[in-house]
Amino acid sequence: MGVSTDMAMTGKATWRDYKELTKPNVVLLMILTSVIGMFMAVPGMVPLDALILGNLGIALCAGAAAAVNHLVDQQVDQRMARTRQRPVAQGRVGTLQASLFALVLGSLGMAILLIWVNALTAWLTFASLVGYAFVYTMFLKRATPQNIVIGGLAGAAPPLLGWTAVTGEIHGHALLLVLIIFAWTPPHFWALAIHRKDEYAAVDIPMLPVTHGDAFTRLHILLYTIIMFLITLLPFVTRLSGPLYLLGAVVLGGGFLYWAVELMRNRNPGAPMETFKYSIVYLMALFVIMLVDHYLFPMTTT
């Protein structure tokens, strides 16, 4: 019965399948940080054309990169519980269709950025797309347990892309926003990797818990969380952000440190997923508080 049902589904893609190819929840988090990067770059309101077209172009390119990820990982996805229902893995969307979909999204996104935003943002976005879709997905993910550390740079780019979409230049404060997400990515993803360790081992993906064990990974989550916490204080130190942000960074960072310590204690079987879930809320809340602080306590961005 299960086989016939799967066969019946093959090739019958819906719009929801194509939506899933873009990993919309991941893209939405990226666009949140991109939007906030835009607002952090200016003292007042972001120009509407940059706000709308810039984020549309960035989102389309991010969706294209996600679709390539589905394509490259389709055989791995079929063997992992978390991903086996993905549309390409299930055959609801064919390889050719997914390839064309990614090409159209990426081309449209690049065209929007080149024509209506600026070339710097377009090429930085393209570099981010290539970094995630090809360098990370096709090479790093299978090559080294440091895959998420190195590959995380591509996923950390959206605040910089938002900043350059508005200003047309790379600023140290924008790079600081990138650094926050770059430091956040390893403890965020390694928590999930601990939870899914057996699945990654079964498909020969050398995630850190697979190659070095849980205890080693838990220690590194704690160490990276401490590094991330210190980095999140830098916007206040560099006068990008004010006191409300500092309070938020300390409180939210304290919560992250709590879960990192819980992981180290290894007494709560649910701690890896709780840490993973908290990390998503943490990043969203940190950037939203940064935005609110930007207007309540305006600081210099020059």
Side-chain angles (χ1 to χ4, degrees):
M1 189 70 175
V3 174
S4 62
T5 302
D6 286 345
M7 291 295 289
M9 291 172 63
T10 302
K12 295 187 177 181
T14 67
W15 66 269
R16 289 183 179 86
D17 291 317
Y18 284 97
K19 176 186 171 186
E20 188 179 345
L21 281 184
T22 65
K23 298 188 178 180
N25 291 337
V26 175
V27 172
L28 281 173
L29 183 57
M30 294 173 71
I31 293 305
L32 173 67
T33 62
S34 170
V35 168
I36 292 173
M38 289 182 173
F39 279 97
M40 295 300 294
V42 293
M45 177 61 187
V46 174
L48 280 180
D49 56 344
L51 183 64
I52 296 170
L53 294 171
N55 285 297
L56 178 60
I58 294 166
L60 288 169
C61 288
V68 173
N69 178 267
H70 279 259
L71 273 166
V72 173
D73 278 352
Q74 58 183 294
Q75 292 182 339
V76 168
D77 287 345
Q78 290 166 3
R79 298 161 62 190
M80 295 184 67
R82 183 172 66 93
T83 57
R84 66 169 55 116
Q85 294 302 319
R86 285 178 173 175
V88 177
Q90 283 288 305
R92 297 192 302 274
V93 177
T95 299
L96 177 61
Q97 287 79 10
S99 300
L100 290 173
F101 181 65
L103 181 62
V104 169
L105 285 187
S107 300
L108 187 57
M110 282 296 294
I112 290 171
L113 294 174
L114 281 169
I115 296 169
W116 287 294
V117 184
N118 57 61
L120 177 61
T121 304
W123 293 118
L124 286 173
T125 303
F126 181 74
S128 179
L129 187 160
V130 170
Y132 175 75
F134 299 100
V135 178
Y136 168 71
T137 301
M138 296 182 72
F139 175 67
L140 286 174
K141 189 173 182 179
R142 293 160 175 80
T144 169
Q146 293 298 310
N147 45 22
I148 201 64
V149 178
I150 306 167
L153 187 58
L160 173 62
L161 305 179
W163 193 294
T164 61
V166 174
T167 66
E169 64 179 16
I170 296 173
H171 192 285
H173 281 152
L175 295 176
L176 179 52
L177 300 182
V178 171
L179 186 61
I180 290 172
I181 302 178
F182 180 68
W184 165 87
T185 302
H188 158 73
F189 198 85
W190 282 336
L192 176 65
I194 290 173
H195 182 71
R196 299 289 184 180
K197 174 185 172 181
D198 292 341
E199 292 184 36
Y200 282 118
V203 294
D204 298 320
I205 299 294
M207 290 299 174
L208 196 63
V210 176
T211 60
H212 289 71
D214 282 4
F216 186 86
T217 305
R218 292 170 195 269
L219 173 61
H220 278 70
I221 288 174
L222 177 60
L223 294 175
Y224 268 90
T225 302
I226 293 169
I227 292 169
M228 179 201 71
F229 179 81
L230 295 174
I231 289 172
T232 60
L233 303 181
L234 293 178
F236 178 77
V237 174
T238 61
R239 296 183 58 79
L240 171 62
S241 298
L244 178 62
Y245 169 79
L246 178 63
L247 176 63
V250 170
V251 172
L252 290 168
F256 211 136
L257 285 167
Y258 165 80
W259 282 112
V261 171
E262 275 292 287
L263 279 174
M264 277 293 295
R265 294 174 69 228
N266 197 19
R267 295 179 182 177
N268 178 0
M273 278 308 293
E274 290 299 323
T275 304
F276 176 74
K277 292 174 185 176
Y278 179 82
S279 69
I280 298 172
V281 174
Y282 167 88
L283 190 68
M284 293 173 62
L286 184 74
F287 271 77
V288 169
I289 291 170
M290 180 185 292
L291 177 62
V292 173
D293 175 276
H294 181 62
Y295 289 100
L296 289 182
F297 303 97
M299 310 289 282
T300 179
T301 57
T302 59

